[in-house]
Amino acid sequence: MAKKIINLLILLPLGVILIVFCVANRQSVTLAFNPFRPDDQVLAVSAPLFVFLFIALISGMLIGSAATWFSQGKHRKRARTEAKEAIRWQSEADRHKTRAEEIAGQLPSR
C-alpha cells in the first residue's frame, strides 16, 4: 500500500510535468547530421523538439544501463560460482549427515 502511494506521489507529478513539457515544445526543429551543409535535406530529420529530447534521454538510459550491466559482470559470475559451491557443500554435508545417522543406527543401544 505504501509503495502504491509513493509511486502515485512520484509518478503523477512526473507525468504531468512531461505532458506540459511536450505541449510546450511542439514546434518542429531540424536535426542536421551534416555539419558542413546544414541545409542538406538528405542528412537532416525534422521532428518536434520533445521527440529529440526523449530519444536522447532513452538512449542515455540504455547506454548507461548497458555499461552498468557489463561492469557488474564479474560480480554476477562470482555469485554464480559461489552459489554452485554452496550447493556442493550442502550436498556433501547432507551425505555426511546421512552417513552419520547410518553409523549411529548400527551402534548397539545402551
Side-chain angles (χ1 to χ4, degrees):
M1 182 67 180
K3 187 175 181 180
K4 287 183 181 182
I5 292 173
I6 291 173
N7 282 339
L8 186 65
L9 289 176
I10 292 173
L11 294 179
L12 186 65
L14 185 63
V16 170
I17 290 171
L18 286 176
I19 290 171
V20 169
F21 178 77
C22 291
V23 170
N25 292 298
R26 289 181 307 191
Q27 65 272 16
S28 183
V29 294
T30 302
L31 178 64
F33 293 106
N34 188 352
F36 302 111
R37 287 187 45 205
D39 56 338
D40 185 13
Q41 294 298 318
V42 175
L43 296 174
V45 178
S46 292
L49 178 62
F50 71 89
V51 171
F52 292 126
L53 293 174
F54 281 160
I55 290 172
L57 177 72
I58 291 170
S59 62
M61 288 172 44
L62 291 175
I63 291 169
S65 61
T68 302
W69 189 77
F70 283 120
S71 69
Q72 292 178 350
K74 59 185 172 199
H75 301 294
R76 286 192 307 277
K77 182 178 180 181
R78 182 177 175 200
R80 280 192 305 268
T81 58
E82 288 181 359
K84 289 178 185 176
E85 187 176 348
I87 291 170
R88 186 174 56 88
W89 283 108
Q90 183 65 40
S91 63
E92 185 175 341
D94 290 340
R95 276 197 323 258
H96 286 298
K97 182 180 177 182
T98 56
R99 179 71 179 135
E101 289 171 352
E102 289 173 3
I103 292 173
Q106 292 175 355
L107 292 175
S109 299
R110 291 188 183 187

